[in-house]
Amino acid sequence: MSRLTREWICDLERTAPDWDRLLRERTGLGYVELAAQVSGRSENEIRSAAETMKVAAVPVTSGLGIIGRFSASVAAILSTMGFDTFVTSRPDVDGLYEASCRGADIVFLADDSRYIALNLRNGRIADNNVATVTGYMQVLRSMSGGLLGRSVVVLGYGVIGRLFAEKLRQAGASVAIYERNIALQDRIERDGFACVYDSTREDPKSALFQYDIIADATNEGDWLRAEDFQEHALIAAPGVPFSFDEASADKLGSRCIHDLLEIGTVSMLGLAL
Ligand code: 2YC
């Protein structure tokens, strides 16, 4: 997934509770419900974990360094679920040590290559890529009423797109891939998927109109419009930056679910319990 920027997430601490409510309204799955579903636990088990467990977000300075408000945003999402959370005052190894000394049961930390949740009590580890796709699969299941036998197109065949296509296939959906990168098209065929991107078409995007369930895992940003899809199409969009502009997002309304960090983070929590 693309590296977030402070500008993109600067409001997330304030909006995390609103998005929890909106997700529940639109998909029936707020943060606690989502964490329960991906973990195979009950909502009450998640809520009682929130009452007893401490979670720390540890800033990491490696590579391109700390993203302003990243750790605070992670903490805000998890405290919205009821967890006692804190951001360590120190980064990196010293921060991990601080988290342990202050009684953290689970730590969340990310460098430029990997964003994980590590359970210090049982050693379970959750990876953001896997958790994000697992969370968005639950969202799609809930919005669509079931994926068995449904025709789904996955946009983009990067790490998230590949994970999404495999999980959709496992769920019994008929999966096609839309990927314009020629180098990836061989891999798509090898993995047993049809690639529906056709560069000979005047408007390759017109191939998307036939689908009513879309998983958007692209990272180009601002390249799709609501009009590219059927009126009732459902779109799960983990891709960052978002593929739609504000006007299209408004037109799509509750048929399109996208966020920068929330669904992946609450799903990580569920998978790390
Ligand atoms: O502030 C910090 O601790 C930074 N080291 C965080 C870097 C996160 C880089 N990764 C991303 O921006 C996204 C994540 C949301 C998941 C995958 N890429």
Side-chain angles (χ1 to χ4, degrees), residues 1-4 59-60 65-67 70 110-112 115 128 261:
M1 285 241 267
S2 316
R3 181 178 162 92
L4 297 173
V60 173
I66 284 171
I67 297 174
F70 176 80
D111 63 14
D112 296 342
Y115 170 29
N128 176 257
L261 199 52

Side-chain angles (χ1 to χ4, degrees), residues 158-179:
V159 171
I160 298 294
R162 287 197 291 276
L163 280 168
F164 223 139
E166 192 44 49
K167 284 194 182 288
L168 284 161
R169 174 156 59 187
Q170 287 166 6
S174 157
V175 183
I177 311 292
Y178 182 90
E179 170 57 68

Side-chain angles (χ1 to χ4, degrees), residues 19 22-23 26-27 136 139-140 143 214 216 229 232-238 242-244 248-259:
W19 181 236
L22 201 51
L23 264 177
R26 290 183 170 183
T27 71
Y136 273 90
V139 164
L140 258 189
M143 289 167 76
I214 296 94
D216 176 14
F229 301 94
H232 60 281
L234 298 174
I235 303 171
F242 195 27
S243 300
F244 296 93
S248 282
D250 290 345
K251 277 185 202 144
L252 291 166
S254 59
R255 292 190 289 119
C256 178
I257 299 296
H258 164 82
D259 70 30

Side-chain angles (χ1 to χ4, degrees), residues 137-148 150 213 234:
M137 277 293 290
Q138 293 302 338
V139 164
L140 258 189
R141 271 197 185 90
S142 181
M143 289 167 76
S144 66
L147 294 164
L148 184 64
R150 305 292 291 272
I213 301 179
L234 298 174

Side-chain angles (χ1 to χ4, degrees), residues 10 206 218 264:
C10 59
S206 59
T218 58

Side-chain angles (χ1 to χ4, degrees), residues 83-268:
F83 283 86
D84 176 5
T85 66
F86 61 94
V87 176
T88 57
S89 60
R90 306 286 305 145
D92 305 326
V93 176
D94 200 1
L96 209 42
Y97 181 74
E98 179 188 336
S100 171
C101 293
R102 290 173 63 179
D105 298 293
I106 301 178
V107 290
F108 281 68
L109 63 170
D111 63 14
D112 296 342
S113 311
R114 185 81 52 190
Y115 170 29
I116 62 167
L118 175 62
N119 187 319
L120 300 179
R121 303 299 172 232
N122 62 19
R124 284 178 69 92
I125 194 161
D127 160 70
N128 176 257
N129 295 324
V130 172
T132 296
V133 174
T134 306
Y136 273 90
M137 277 293 290
Q138 293 302 338
V139 164
L140 258 189
R141 271 197 185 90
S142 181
M143 289 167 76
S144 66
L147 294 164
L148 184 64
R150 305 292 291 272
S151 170
V152 183
V153 62
V154 174
L155 313 185
Y157 205 62
V159 171
I160 298 294
R162 287 197 291 276
L163 280 168
F164 223 139
E166 192 44 49
K167 284 194 182 288
L168 284 161
R169 174 156 59 187
Q170 287 166 6
S174 157
V175 183
I177 311 292
Y178 182 90
E179 170 57 68
R180 64 180 184 183
N181 180 339
I182 306 282
L184 286 173
Q185 283 168 11
D186 291 346
R187 172 155 188 184
I188 291 166
E189 311 291 338
R190 274 204 316 277
D191 291 350
F193 297 109
C195 181
V196 295
Y197 177 86
D198 178 354
S199 57
T200 64
R201 288 173 87 143
E202 192 181 325
D203 176 15
K205 278 196 307 186
S206 59
L208 301 178
F209 200 79
Q210 63 183 296
Y211 295 95
D212 59 7
I213 301 179
I214 296 94
D216 176 14
T218 58
N219 61 9
E220 181 175 334
D222 192 20
W223 69 285
L224 289 171
R225 295 294 172 264
E227 296 71 31
D228 294 324
F229 301 94
Q230 298 171 30
E231 279 295 300
H232 60 281
L234 298 174
I235 303 171
V240 172
F242 195 27
S243 300
F244 296 93
D245 62 8
E246 205 162 321
S248 282
D250 290 345
K251 277 185 202 144
L252 291 166
S254 59
R255 292 190 289 119
C256 178
I257 299 296
H258 164 82
D259 70 30
L260 294 170
L261 199 52
E262 298 91 328
I263 289 172
T265 296
V266 305
S267 301
M268 288 164 74

